[in-house]
Structures are given as C-alpha cells and as structure tokens.
Amino acid sequence: MNVLEARGLGKRFGSVRAVEGFDLVVREGETCALLGPSGCGKTTALRLVAGLERPDEGLVRIRDRVVAGPGAWVPPEARRVGLVFQDWALFPHLDVRANVAFGLDGDRRGRVEELLELVHLDGLADRMPHELSGGQQQRVAVARALAPQPDLLLLDEPFSNLDAQLRAAVRTEIRELLRATGTTAVLVTHDREEALSVPDRVAVMLEGRVVQVGTPFEVYAAPADGRVARLLGEANLLPGRARGGRVRFALGEVEGSLPDGPCEVLVRPEALRATPDADGEARVDDVAFYGHDQLLRCAIDGATLEVRLAGPHPELGPGARVRIELVGPAVPLPARA
Amino acid sequence: MSVALDVARRADAHRHPAVPVGVAVAALLVLGLVALPPVYLVIRGLALDPERWDLVLRRRSLDLAWNTLALAAVVTAGATVLGLAAAWLAVRTDLPARRLWATLFALPLVFPSYVGTFAILAFAGPRGILQRWLEPLGVERLPDLASLPGAALVLTLFTYPYVYLVAAAGLRGLDPSWEEAARTLGRGRWETFRRVTLPLLRPSVSGGALLVALYVLHDFGAVSLLRYPTFTQAIFLAYRGTIDRAAAAVLSLLLLAMAVLVVVAERRARGRRARYHRAGRGTDRPPRLVLLGRWRWPALAASGALVALALALPAGMLVHLLLRGLAEGVPLNLTLGAVGGSALVASLGAVATVLAALPVAVVAVRGGPRLARMADGVAWLGYALPGLVVALAFVFLTARLPPLYQSLPLVVAAYVVLFLPQAVEPLRGALLRLDPRLEEAGRTLGRTRGQVLRRVVVPAVLRPALAGAALVCLTAMKELPATMLLRPTGFETLATRVWTSASAGLYSRAAVPALLLVVVACVPLWALAGRLGVREGG
C-alpha cells in the first residue's frame, strides 16, 4: 500500500520555482531517500508533504486521504506526519522527557521511557537539550518524531550537523531503528553515501522534480543520465557514438539501445584498472589516497580518466606511465541535452 | 547574555592582565556612590526608635503597600497582555499596514508619565473636555481616574511598549522550526503558541515586564497627578509635610525593598536551565504569516483603539491645549531659563554618568570574578532605585552641608546613580566584543601601551560611549523627582515647569514645555527601535 503519493506538486517563492512537477510514491514500511544537490527543492518538497507549505499545484495523498490539493487542505497537526528537522529543533525550554512526550497525550506518556530506551538514551531523560552531545540531540529528535506513531516520518538532512566520525555510526543506528519499528520514512539528503547506504529506494531530484527512482544499486549502476551519474559517485563520462544497438567509445564497444548518433558512456572509476607500463598511453597526474583505496587522475589523449584501485599502490605516483583497461561495466547514456 | 558573559569571562580570566589599580579604585568609588542612598537609608532606619517605626508602619503603610503593589501587579499584567498581543499582530499576522502599526505601537513611550497623565486628565478628568461634551447628555460624573482601575489604565497605556518592544524583537528572532516541530507533532496553532512560543519568549518578555513593574513602583508624576495614593506620593507628602523626616525615610526604605524584591524575583523566575540562543544554524527563514481572514477587521479596530488611546489622544490633547492657551492668551511658559536648565543639567549628567560608567564597565568585563559580579550587581541596583528615594537620601545626607545641599553637583550625582546602567550596558557590550588579542596584536606590532589604548581601545569604545551619553542625556531631561528635590532654588528645567503647572491644574501652561519634552524623547526611542529591529530594512 502507498503511504505517500505526491502528484505534480509545484511551489513557487516569488519568481523562483522551488518545486515543479514533483512526483513521488513511497510504499508501506520502506525508507526512501530523496537525493539532490543543494537548492534543488528537496527541503521544500518535504515541507509540502508535512503541511508546512501549501502547494501552488498538484496533490499530496497520505494513505487514503488527500491532505493537500485542489480544494483539500489538512493542517500539519492533523496529518500524522513526523518531521526530524535539519537542526533538530529540540525545544530548549523542555528537558529530554518533555521533548519526547510533546506529541503524546495523557495516557500514552508511558511510551517515553520505551522510546528513550529504543534510541539508547535511557538515563538522560532529565537533561536539557543543550546538555547533550550532537548525536544525542539527534536521537532525541528522532524519538520525539516517532512518539506519536506517525504514518510517515520525514527526515531533513538529519546527519548533516554531525561530524564525519559520528555520522556513520548514527546512520547505521537510524537505519536499524526505522526497520525495527517498521516506519515508513523519507530521508532528504545531498550526501551520496547516505543516499546509497540507508534507504530501500532512492529518488534523485534535480531542479525541482524527481528524475529517477530505483534501488540504490539500480540508480548507481544505471543512472538516467550523466547528471544523475555524477550525483551518485565519481564518474568518467566518455563521448560515444551509437549505431544499430551498439555503442563505440574510446575504451571499446558495448551494447546499448540508444537512437543512432552521439551519446555518452559512463565508466565508474572502479571499472578501470591501471597497471604500470613504461609504454602506456596514460600518465598519472594526481593521486588521492584514502587508505582502503586510491583515486588516480590520469591523462590520456588530452582527456582525463579517474581510476580507483583497491589497496595501497605506492608505485603509482604522479608522473608514472600506466596502461588503462576496462574491467567493469560501461553504461551508455543519452547525450547531454 | 549572562551565559555568554560567564563563558567569556572564564575563558579570558587567566589571559588578562589585572585591571589597573586606578581603574579598580575609580570603579569602587562609583559603586560606593550608587550604594550610598540605600545604605544611608538602612542605617537611618535602624537608628530609628522602634516606637516610631510602629507609628509609621501602623498608620497608612499597609494601605499604601496594597495600593502600590496592586497597581504594579495590574499594570504589569495589563502591559504584558497588551504588549504581547500588539507584538504578535505586528510581527506574525497579515494585519494591513503592519509595518506602520509596528512603529505606532512603540510610540507611546515618548510620553513621560506625568506628561501623558496630565494630557489624559485634561481630556477625561474632572472638568475635562469629555465631561463637558457629555454634560448636555445628562452625564454628571465620569468614572474617577483617581482609583485603581483609572490609574492602572493610564499607566498601562504608557508602559505596554516596554513589553511590546522586547516581545516583537523576540518574535522576529525566534527560529520558526520550533513552532513547525510542534505542529508536526500534532499540536494546533493555539497550543503551539502556549506551549512553545510563549515559553521561548519568556526571558525577554519577563525582562520587559520587570521594567514595567519598576516603572510603576518608581512613578511619582502620574500617581501624584491622578491623586492615587502610593508609596512615592506618601513619601513626597511626608517629606514636604513634616519637619521630622523619619517617616519619609522609613517609607523610602520600604519602597526600595519592594523594588529590590521585584528585581530578584524576576531574575529567579527567568529560569536558568534553558539556553535559548542557537548560534548560526539553519537558514534565516522568516516565519509564515498567520492569515487573519475575517478577524482582520476586529484586529484593525483593536489596534486603532490602542493607538488612539495611548498615542493620538495625549498628543492631540497637548496640541489642543497649546492652541487653546494661545487663543486665550496664556503665556507660553517657555523661558530660556527652563530650556537652558534642562540642557545644562542633562548634558552634565550625561558626561558624568559616562565617565563613571567607564571604570565600572572595564571592571565588569575584565576584572576578577568577584569584582565583576559586584560591578554587575551594583549597576543593577541602579535600576531598582526609585528617583524619589535617591533624591531624599541625598537631601538628608547633605542637609548639613550647605555648599552641596540643593546644588547642581548633587543633581548630577543623583543622575549618575539612577542612569549608570544605561551607560554601562553599551560600554560593556563594546568591551566584550573587543578581543584582548587585538591589543596583544597591537603590542607585537611594536606599539606601546599608550598607543594601543589610543588607536585600538578608544575607537572601539567611543561610539558606544556617545550612544550611552545620548541616552542618559535624554532620559535625564525627563527625570522629575530627583531634579525637583535636589535643584538649587530658582533653577528651572522643562520637567519642573511641566510639573509645577500640571500639578496646579494649569494644563494649558504645561503644554509647551511638555511638547518639547516629547519631541526630545522621540530621539532615543528611534535609536532604540533600530537596535531592537522594530524598524525593518532601514
């Protein structure tokens, strides 16, 4: 069953179109990431769903009920949609217990302890928000939003205010929490790692609309176009030419059902291998070493190719001559408009 | 503010060279001057024969205490409700022309209480205009303004802007995501206001309410003109009426105790646990305006009524009185002496107060923790001290020192005591912003202490010092009780002119000096409104 259905949503601020023709369906129990560069309208889309903004056009349906649309308007407090704010927006005048209990009425107050246990904050119920670390505040915000058992939980860049070390741990924790509670959630992010590692599905958003939806594997391996490909990871986009169901490009030929004519071919850096070769056509220009792997930037025929190699390779320093081979998938994409 | 202060202090404590001894001594002298009136009154009260205490206390004091406290409570509550409602309308709703209303709501602050009160009395008091209009209709007596409801109404009209200004600034600065969070958690608009907005505004609103309560406790002009018996009025009568002034001293002490209690209570109630300020996070998204819909007309009517009563009525009456006076050949009552007197005494007061504030601000920011806390506390005492009480203490103290008794230096000293916080506050802000490392940088660039002082410290402190001086100067012009009691015989200011005429019921004679005072009072309000963000985009 669909928990959220957004159709043709549009929202303008003055002359700026923040969201336009926005479609998204989220199914019961799934976590969906809404990934897009900053300024693409993803936070506005989230606020339209939560009822904090009124759409200029289109409709929002939560379960069976149209909550925003022509002639329909349900205020945020009656939507059963929880929202975790980017800066968490914990009430500074209330302690942790009162923050979590804010959306609960009388007899359900007992849930607070249960929730705090769920997010591993038992024992901190009497603290004030400013007495908590960033990670703890974040978990209070999630517990608070989950407390009234919303039909849909929205998370607006929930990890962006945490430092990198903490982020990975909290991410795992949140993913497990969402699965354990069977919560249907939409997670807004501009971070590709977050968008790939947390959700069941990813909706990629560009310039106010959703351009592709799929599992993380699908959108990574078969992006709709070059912009989506770059948004999801490092990408070599090589010029190619399609003819009769085959696409030729600098590193070979692949199958691809594109209309005849120029196109692009996506080759992820990990689909390439570089081996030292004094007669190699390519030269290493730059190396970024990350420990578990390294990204080489290589010059070949005036073009630049990025190559990812697992494990340390001290022999491939800047200036080294290398031979580059295609060892993974090459994905033909329609030419840039 | 105080959290930030503490942190700054703690962080810098070990890095600071000690405050120069000369500065510390100067600060202590100033603090001693501020503490002088209350300390003197306590000593004098203790020295009093217990029987006399009984006598003073039994007679009318309970009634007076009740009158004063009831008036303070009603006005504070009324001003808080009015100020909050006006702020909400002007900041958060689509009230037509809300920018204009935002300014109009703040303007009643330009009326010194005695000016606003006599203007209202001339309209609605006994033998006022309203009475004459209504007489043909068979109305023989208007409700008496010399009552708790009457006095409360008049004072509320002139004090609600204190709450309005801080509440409007608070509402503008409030991050909208807190209210949005409450909405997504299933709380409606009213519940969100009650459970989130109001508690978040509480620190600033309670600060404004404190100013209102102190204003009422200190007020001498309005209650005297209204003939509503409060402590200040009784103190004045006791002082004027008896050769023995012990009764006035005892009553002063009681009033002072009340004021200090109010200050302490507010600081307690402020709630120390919560920290409301969040630094530089998220976007500066303005909150969505509440659409008034069919409530827009009642809201407009209420705003109009408030501005009509608190602003248009007194201003119109002053002009009317002036014109009527001109038509009837009443002298303008504007001697060069009064204008010059006001200018002289106010500018002397401003210079003296800023000079006194400098060492206090330095000690408050850069002194050791104990000295700093003392400077903080004593400067606060200035807020709690009623002008009349300070004046009386100085009268008693100098009664046997003829060169000082009723002299200009004495008036100036009283201004220093009363207005010190107004000058310390901006200086302290500037000094807090002046990172000591800037001075260290100056030294490492080869400049001497003196050069650094002249080229780094003085430029940073000059503007706030001038701002403080301007504020004190304009406040001092309106000051009534201390000026009246301490001035040399025959020395006149605009305020004393207004008072002499108005208290005798000669309202037309009071109109010209009163109008001048109002014009003068517009200037600091304008500056203040700019700082609190009431003027937008300007």
Side-chain angles (χ1 to χ4, degrees):
Chain A
M1 186 188 168
N2 293 340
V3 173
L4 168 67
E5 184 187 342
R7 290 282 170 229
L9 276 185
K11 178 72 184 173
R12 247 168 304 177
F13 295 107
S15 60
V16 182
R17 289 170 180 278
V19 169
E20 198 184 2
F22 178 91
D23 295 311
L24 184 66
V25 171
V26 180
R27 295 188 286 256
E28 179 92 59
E30 81 171 344
T31 302
C32 178
L34 193 56
L35 172 73
S38 46
C40 76
K42 39 189 202 309
T43 294
T44 304
L46 208 65
R47 291 170 61 80
L48 288 168
V49 171
L52 298 174
E53 306 282 353
R54 274 174 197 259
D56 298 326
E57 56 205 19
L59 68 80
V60 179
R61 197 196 302 272
I62 309 265
R63 291 200 186 277
D64 299 327
R65 192 165 54 139
V66 175
V67 295
W73 175 253
V74 176
E77 62 267 25
R79 289 194 178 191
R80 300 187 49 79
V81 171
L83 176 54
V84 177
F85 287 77
Q86 181 168 9
D87 52 8
W88 310 317
L90 296 182
F91 302 123
H93 60 297
L94 301 177
D95 63 15
V96 168
R97 178 180 288 114
N99 260 288
V100 175
F102 192 87
L104 295 174
D105 287 312
D107 48 333
R108 295 202 297 160
R109 294 279 161 124
R111 255 178 74 72
V112 173
E113 308 299 329
E114 197 184 308
L115 279 156
L116 287 178
E117 212 167 304
L118 201 63
V119 297
H120 311 297
L121 285 175
D122 29 338
L124 298 181
D126 296 322
R127 296 274 187 91
M128 296 303 279
H130 70 264
E131 296 169 329
L132 300 179
S133 71
Q136 290 168 333
Q137 291 188 33
Q138 210 262 355
R139 285 181 283 172
V140 174
V142 172
R144 183 180 71 176
L146 283 176
Q149 294 176 300
D151 287 338
L152 175 66
L153 183 68
L154 308 173
L155 302 110
D156 186 6
E157 306 258 10
F159 311 113
S160 63
N161 275 323
L162 300 174
D163 61 58
Q165 302 274 325
L166 199 57
R167 211 178 294 172
V170 174
R171 215 148 58 192
T172 314
E173 212 170 286
I174 296 288
R175 188 178 56 200
E176 281 164 4
L177 183 66
L178 293 177
R179 298 226 164 112
T181 52
T183 306
T184 312
V186 175
L187 165 80
V188 156
T189 180
H190 68 271
D191 181 305
R192 58 173 71 134
E193 272 185 43
E194 230 163 87
L196 292 173
S197 63
V198 178
D200 301 303
R201 288 196 305 149
V202 184
V204 181
M205 201 173 162
L206 285 170
E207 288 163 13
R209 66 177 75 222
V210 173
V211 293
Q212 188 177 10
V213 183
T215 66
F217 295 109
E218 285 165 4
V219 292
Y220 185 77
D225 60 27
R227 290 183 305 171
V228 175
R230 282 198 197 283
L231 206 55
L232 286 156
E234 282 88 10
N236 297 299
L237 291 171
L238 308 173
R241 180 161 282 279
R243 193 194 298 157
R246 308 283 298 172
V247 174
R248 290 183 61 84
F249 70 112
L251 298 172
E253 199 179 88
V254 287
E255 279 183 40
S257 51
L258 290 170
D260 288 1
C263 66
E264 276 187 318
V265 177
L266 162 68
V267 179
R268 295 285 184 195
E270 65 269 23
L272 294 174
R273 189 167 62 197
T275 36
D277 183 344
D279 301 326
E281 302 168 312
R283 194 185 71 240
V284 177
D285 269 355
D286 185 44
V287 180
F289 180 57
Y290 298 109
H292 43 68
D293 61 11
Q294 59 238 282
L295 199 62
L296 311 184
R297 216 173 61 224
C298 305
I300 177 168
D301 290 344
T304 300
L305 278 182
E306 285 185 319
V307 180
R308 191 186 300 283
L309 293 177
H313 285 275
E315 75 280 10
L316 293 177
R321 305 296 303 189
V322 291
R323 179 162 36 87
I324 294 180
E325 299 161 275
L326 181 67
V327 293
V331 186
L333 300 174
R336 250 172 277 202
Chain B
M1 176 77 194
S2 80
V3 174
L5 243 169
D6 285 348
V7 171
R9 232 181 246 149
R10 225 175 298 134
D12 292 343
H14 60 282
R15 261 188 274 134
H16 274 304
V19 172
V21 178
V23 174
V25 169
L28 285 176
L29 283 177
V30 173
L31 299 181
L33 178 68
V34 176
L36 190 59
V39 169
Y40 170 78
L41 285 174
V42 170
I43 291 172
R44 176 131 181 174
L46 289 179
L48 207 61
D49 188 351
E51 263 175 50
R52 301 279 305 287
W53 265 91
D54 276 359
L55 204 65
V56 173
L57 288 182
R58 207 179 315 133
R59 259 188 306 177
R60 272 176 4 105
S61 297
L62 273 180
D63 282 351
L64 286 176
W66 163 249
N67 281 349
T68 310
L69 286 176
L71 185 65
V74 173
V75 171
T76 306
T80 304
V81 172
L82 264 185
L84 267 173
W88 186 76
L89 277 177
V91 175
R92 280 299 180 79
T93 71
D94 63 342
L95 186 73
R98 61 193 183 91
R99 297 276 162 84
L100 178 65
W101 289 114
T103 308
L104 291 178
F105 285 150
L107 276 178
L109 221 48
V110 303
F111 297 110
S113 74
Y114 52 96
V115 170
T117 304
F118 93 70
I120 285 193
L121 274 174
F123 179 75
R127 296 181 298 121
I129 293 182
L130 191 59
Q131 175 77 53
R132 261 182 285 150
W133 285 349
L134 293 179
E135 241 159 35
L137 304 176
V139 179
E140 295 191 350
R141 251 183 80 86
L142 287 169
D144 194 1
L145 282 175
S147 60
L148 177 59
L153 177 69
V154 171
L155 279 169
T156 304
L157 287 177
F158 298 119
T159 52
Y160 84 86
Y162 287 110
V163 177
Y164 163 75
L165 283 173
V166 290
L171 276 175
R172 278 197 188 89
L174 204 62
D175 185 335
S177 45
W178 283 316
E179 291 170 349
E180 289 169 358
R183 297 295 296 279
T184 62
L185 289 167
R187 302 302 171 190
R189 193 167 275 155
W190 167 243
E191 221 187 332
T192 297
F193 185 76
R194 193 173 57 80
R195 289 180 57 180
V196 175
T197 317
L198 218 48
L200 290 175
L201 288 180
R202 202 181 74 177
S204 51
V205 168
S206 88
L210 171 69
L211 286 182
V212 173
L214 289 176
Y215 187 104
V216 177
L217 288 181
H218 295 181
D219 178 70
F220 164 72
V223 292
S224 299
L225 288 173
L226 288 166
R227 298 185 206 293
Y228 177 79
T230 63
F231 265 106
T232 48
Q233 208 207 358
I235 292 168
F236 187 67
L237 292 179
Y239 161 73
R240 275 282 147 93
T242 49
I243 299 165
D244 164 56
R245 289 163 173 180
V250 170
L251 290 174
S252 295
L253 205 51
L254 288 178
L255 176 60
L256 181 60
M258 270 190 215
V260 170
L261 264 175
V262 169
V263 172
V264 171
E266 193 270 344
R267 293 206 131 183
R268 281 276 161 82
R270 197 166 270 226
R272 300 242 153 155
R273 289 190 75 196
R275 193 193 294 170
Y276 295 87
H277 184 72
R278 288 190 304 173
R281 267 193 186 160
T283 47
D284 243 358
R285 190 158 34 81
R288 292 171 54 84
L289 295 182
V290 173
L291 308 178
L292 287 172
R294 63 200 159 90
W295 287 101
R296 98 197 318 224
W297 297 113
L300 267 180
S303 306
L306 179 60
V307 169
L309 276 177
L311 184 64
L313 174 65
M317 276 312 294
L318 288 183
V319 173
H320 168 81
L321 289 170
L322 167 67
L323 296 178
R324 196 180 70 187
L326 285 179
E328 290 171 4
V330 174
L332 278 183
N333 197 20
L334 188 69
T335 59
L336 226 51
V339 177
S342 271
L344 175 69
V345 79
S347 46
L348 281 179
V351 171
T353 307
V354 168
L355 288 180
L358 260 173
V360 175
V362 169
V363 163
V365 173
R366 301 202 168 170
R370 198 181 299 164
L371 206 58
R373 208 173 315 133
M374 199 165 90
D376 232 19
V378 178
W380 256 95
L381 189 60
Y383 272 126
L385 285 174
L388 186 63
V389 169
V390 172
L392 275 188
F394 277 176
V395 166
F396 295 149
L397 270 167
T398 58
R400 285 183 210 90
L401 297 168
L404 268 179
Y405 182 69
Q406 294 198 329
S407 67
L408 276 188
L410 202 57
V411 179
V412 170
Y415 287 173
V416 170
V417 172
L418 289 173
F419 305 136
L420 190 65
Q422 292 182 10
V424 169
E425 213 45 56
L427 283 175
R428 190 166 68 169
L431 286 174
L432 272 176
R433 282 190 299 275
L434 185 70
D435 193 321
R437 263 159 300 183
L438 286 180
E439 290 154 60
E440 289 165 6
R443 296 298 292 281
T444 60
L445 291 168
R447 299 296 166 195
T448 63
R449 254 190 116 116
Q451 284 172 319
V452 167
L453 194 70
R454 203 174 66 239
R455 294 176 55 177
V456 179
V457 180
V458 169
V461 168
L462 196 61
R463 279 177 67 93
L466 287 176
L471 191 59
V472 171
C473 177
L474 297 164
T475 318
M477 272 196 203
K478 297 188 285 177
E479 204 285 335
L480 181 63
T483 316
M484 191 168 60
L485 261 60
L486 300 176
R487 67 186 159 147
T489 319
F491 185 82
E492 293 263 26
T493 70
L494 289 171
T496 60
R497 268 292 158 106
V498 172
W499 174 252
T500 319
S501 306
S503 59
L506 305 169
Y507 300 141
S508 289
R509 280 176 160 256
V512 174
L515 272 169
L516 261 181
L517 273 179
V518 168
V519 169
V520 158
C522 283
V523 180
L525 180 72
W526 192 67
L528 186 74
R531 201 164 54 206
L532 289 174
V534 170
R535 279 181 295 130
E536 284 165 309

